Amino acid sequence: MIFIKTPQEIEEFKVAGSLSKAVLRRAGRMVRPGVTTREIDQVVESFIRLHGATPGFKGLYGFPASICSSVNEEIVHGIPSERVLVDGDIISIDTGATIGGWVGDNAWTFYVGTPSAEWQGLCEVTLDCLKAGIAQAVPGNHIGDIGFAVQSLAERHGYGVVREYVGHGVGHVMHEDPNVPNFGKRGRGVRLQVGMVLAIEPMITLGTYKNHTLANGWTVVTNDGSPAAHYENTVAITKDGPVILTQDSEGPWCPFQGGV
């Protein structure tokens, strides 16, 4: 079932969205060579709880942490650990906060030091894919319009578009209908209506989009070991166009570079 939010509910939702962006920004400021992904997770959980919220991910379907920390070839659902970040890595951090009965959800891929120009290009195009997808989130369009915008831009640059993991509706729980694939055809799928709230999240790879899950049951990696990037915002569909709910006083975006 697709839940339509009222204008008042969307205003309430902005509190969770703003905090979730602040949480993501706090995580990104820790990203630098020598830091472990577990250290980032611990700081994020404390930050969320200090602001009177609960981590949106911890315990969700049994996930053990407050962030998904996916490094290099890891696409999504990386579990924080004692892994030390090194210069040249990229790390996708997916996190969010639940407050006031609403769930914020957002992700960003940060540079650790200075990755190669090729890897930076992947990140830049994936962010452009997110912006292209959001631009299609208008009343009267279809889910397929969002997917088509993401897929066509990524594939124009020769990148892979992950099929198995998609965006989704979001509201009082993290995952609601409808699914929001990063591929599709114009004019296909669910028709977008005022009051829908969607997490739009391109997951794009430098090589093959084919992937598998590691033995821990969570971490998804590319089959060929190529890097992946992941960007996400929670977006409300309004009569005036898409409104990004996951934005704080600094806006809806984060820097690529960690540690800033």
Side-chain angles (χ1 to χ4, degrees), residues 70-249:
S70 305
V71 181
N72 299 341
E73 77 282 359
E74 297 172 350
I75 301 171
V76 286
H77 304 161
I79 298 175
S81 68
E82 300 306 318
R83 178 173 185 166
V84 177
L85 299 177
V86 301
D87 185 52
D89 285 343
I90 57 175
I91 177 172
S92 299
I93 297 177
D94 191 352
T95 193
T98 302
I99 189 168
W102 299 101
V103 181
D105 186 14
N106 51 191
W108 197 265
T109 302
F110 297 96
Y111 302 161
V112 183
T114 307
S116 70
E118 186 178 39
W119 288 26
Q120 290 187 35
L122 169 68
C123 293
E124 291 167 2
V125 170
T126 306
L127 176 57
D128 287 343
C129 288
L130 172 61
K131 292 178 178 179
I134 290 173
Q136 296 300 314
V138 296
N141 271 3
H142 294 258
I143 290 291
D145 294 305
I146 296 174
F148 178 84
V150 172
Q151 180 181 13
S152 57
L153 179 55
E155 292 182 348
R156 193 180 312 145
H157 287 83
Y159 298 144
V161 179
V162 174
R163 266 65 170 172
E164 293 88 347
Y165 300 91
V166 299
H168 49 90
V170 60
H172 290 305
V173 296
M174 180 68 72
H175 296 116
E176 294 183 352
D177 291 333
N179 284 341
V180 186
N182 294 305
F183 58 94
K185 295 183 178 180
R186 289 177 175 143
R188 300 287 183 86
V190 171
R191 191 176 184 87
L192 304 181
Q193 303 176 51
V194 170
M196 285 183 175
V197 176
L198 307 176
I200 299 174
E201 50 180 322
M203 288 161 266
I204 308 299
T205 63
L206 188 62
T208 181
Y209 64 82
K210 295 181 179 179
N211 58 78
H212 62 279
T213 303
L214 298 183
N216 63 23
W218 283 104
T219 309
V220 180
V221 301
T222 57
N223 283 356
D224 61 3
S226 63
H230 177 203
Y231 295 84
E232 175 186 23
N233 269 321
T234 299
V235 180
I237 298 172
T238 78
K239 62 182 179 57
D240 299 316
V243 173
I244 298 173
L245 301 181
T246 41
Q247 58 177 310
D248 59 8
S249 60

Side-chain angles (χ1 to χ4, degrees), residues 23 40-46 48-49 54-59 63-69 80 93-97:
V23 168
I40 298 172
D41 180 68
Q42 290 170 340
V43 168
V44 162
E45 180 170 354
S46 295
I48 292 170
R49 296 191 187 280
T54 56
F57 289 5
K58 192 164 189 179
F63 190 75
S66 296
I67 66 170
C68 296
S69 55
I93 297 177
D94 191 352
T95 193

